[in-house]
Amino acid sequence: MRVSFEELKTAIKNVLIRYGVSEEKADVLAQIHTETTYDGIYSHGSGRVARFVEYLTKGWVDPNAEPTVEKEMGAIRVLNGNMGPGVLNALYGVEEAMKLADEYGIGLVGLKNTTHWMRGGTYGKIAAEKGYVAIMWTNTESVMPPWGGKNPKLGNNPIVFAAPKGDGEEIFLLDMAVAQYSYGKLSTLKLAGKKLPFAGGYDEEGNLTDDPAAIEKTRRMLPIGYWKGSGLAFMLDILAVMLTDGIGAGDLDVKGKGSCGGCSQVMIVIDPSRMIDGNRLRIEVEKAIAHIQEAERVDERSSIHAPGDGMKRYHEEHDREGIFVDDRVWEQINSL
């Protein structure tokens, strides 16, 4: 299915209003879900609308809640999301972090008691397009075994790095889970009847598999870098707790309010102009990109990209053909 930006946004907005979200908030949420889909992240754009509605109906997300400030310490703010919509809480958080960076050169916002921020790259992208460097992450409930274990005890804690390339809106953007794949990616490929490009977890027999359905069933995700990814997941979780006065994976499991219900998030935003001249920044960016592009290709079909380059290809396709939405997802949105 191919639809226009406005068609998708309007459909999502109408759904959210029907399920108790104010028109003003529904407009912002629909805009972010649609932009995410336009950027090619289908799993956390159009693909997350039905789940968000489910959380609204179960009372796991309070559509009327607003974030409140709990602590202020110079370049640091700690916010309580009060279980409001995670996207709106995160948007507020990144705006606060940028204000702090303007004043201090760096801003750290810890956001506790919030809900799923959908695509973490959204907030890194916002900061980088305005000229900031951003490092952000969230913890989640247990969905991945620690290295050497079989049952989930670690969150698949996404981490985001974003930076400007210089003048204009072109940016670097790395938004990644600490498992080989996110559960959203597994769901998207399973829905499309496709296999993973590389093995991403274990099946019931304990064998590595590229079958997304098998991995969803066992919940034995493969961490990036094996034991290294396991260690990274743990540190992101505990640091999120320390920097927000929030809760970690074990308590999120007990809370049991869906994916990321009550999670802790950290947003660090830095003004690079305090450290590096704008002209030199552009020169260094160009040198770094040229350096990786000089690598010999594995084969004639392979390509080498800097983080964030994929968005441009999706934008061109979606501008030309319309935004792709899986037929079943589109039917689901309209049925809601």
Side-chain angles (χ1 to χ4, degrees):
M1 184 77 186
R2 297 280 179 173
V3 298
S4 71
F5 192 101
E6 284 305 315
E7 281 180 297
L8 182 57
K9 179 183 174 180
T10 299
I12 296 172
K13 180 178 177 179
N14 289 340
V15 167
L16 299 180
I17 290 172
R18 182 175 181 184
Y19 286 89
V21 181
S22 70
E23 183 172 359
E24 181 181 3
K25 289 183 176 181
D27 188 76
V28 176
L29 290 167
Q31 178 74 22
I32 296 300
H33 277 281
T34 305
E35 286 179 1
T36 298
T37 311
Y38 178 65
D39 287 349
I41 314 300
Y42 307 124
S43 58
H44 289 66
S46 56
R48 284 296 170 106
V49 175
R51 186 185 297 187
F52 182 64
V53 167
E54 177 192 354
Y55 291 2
L56 288 171
T57 57
K58 288 182 175 179
W60 291 349
V61 175
D62 181 355
N64 300 311
E66 301 284 347
T68 51
V69 178
E70 290 205 343
K71 298 176 184 178
E72 296 184 72
M73 300 158 284
I76 300 172
R77 296 284 185 279
V78 176
L79 310 176
N80 190 325
N82 297 307
M83 295 300 286
V87 168
L88 301 181
N89 285 340
L91 288 172
Y92 182 81
V94 71
E95 291 294 336
E96 287 297 295
M98 289 189 292
K99 290 177 186 176
L100 291 169
D102 287 341
E103 184 174 357
Y104 297 101
I106 185 171
L108 189 156
V109 168
L111 179 57
K112 62 188 280 189
N113 196 34
T114 189
T115 59
H116 204 307
W117 64 0
M118 301 303 164
R119 174 204 183 193
T122 293
Y123 318 104
K125 181 181 176 185
I126 287 170
E129 286 180 346
K130 293 183 178 180
Y132 302 93
V133 170
I135 305 169
M136 305 174 174
W137 70 93
T138 181
N139 64 7
T140 79
E141 71 285 358
S142 299
V143 295
M144 180 173 69
W147 188 251
K150 286 187 176 182
N151 57 316
K153 292 294 180 182
L154 292 174
N156 189 7
N157 304 320
I159 186 166
V160 176
F161 297 92
K165 288 186 177 180
D167 292 336
E169 295 185 352
E170 283 199 50
I171 62 169
F172 295 115
L173 178 61
L174 178 64
D175 176 7
M176 66 178 212
V178 291
Q180 191 66 40
Y181 301 96
S182 69
Y183 273 97
K185 185 68 171 179
L186 295 182
S187 297
T188 299
L189 291 175
K190 183 179 75 171
L191 193 65
K194 295 180 179 179
K195 298 288 189 180
L196 301 171
F198 303 95
Y202 298 89
D203 62 20
E204 290 182 297
E205 285 71 48
N207 300 312
L208 282 173
T209 180
D210 59 2
D211 182 350
I215 299 168
E216 279 191 325
K217 188 174 182 179
T218 62
R219 296 175 71 81
R220 288 188 66 188
M221 303 279 282
L222 185 66
I224 59 171
Y226 304 108
W227 51 90
K228 295 181 181 180
S230 179
L232 177 59
F234 178 83
M235 290 304 299
L236 290 173
D237 180 67
I238 195 62
L239 288 177
V241 174
M242 290 179 180
L243 298 176
T244 65
D245 190 24
I247 62 175
D251 289 324
L252 287 167
D253 296 345
V254 173
K255 195 164 189 173
K257 292 196 173 183
S259 180
C260 297
C263 65
S264 308
Q265 298 169 350
V266 179
M267 296 180 166
I268 302 171
V269 172
I270 304 162
D271 178 3
S273 69
R274 307 285 185 105
M275 279 73 79
I276 185 170
D277 173 79
N279 185 55
R280 181 158 186 272
L281 185 150
R282 287 189 295 273
I283 292 170
E284 292 303 318
V285 164
E286 290 169 2
K287 281 167 58 178
I289 294 173
H291 184 64
I292 64 168
Q293 291 289 347
E294 290 170 357
E296 182 180 354
R297 270 49 172 181
V298 173
D299 57 53
E300 60 183 17
R301 295 172 298 173
S302 65
S303 55
I304 298 171
H305 303 286
D309 286 351
M311 286 190 296
K312 183 177 180 181
R313 298 195 302 277
Y314 278 112
H315 291 172
E316 291 171 350
E317 176 191 326
H318 289 153
D319 288 342
R320 184 176 63 251
E321 302 176 20
I323 297 176
F324 171 78
V325 182
D326 185 277
D327 290 346
R328 284 160 291 188
V329 171
W330 182 242
E331 289 171 9
Q332 192 176 49
I333 290 171
N334 284 299
S335 70
L336 289 169

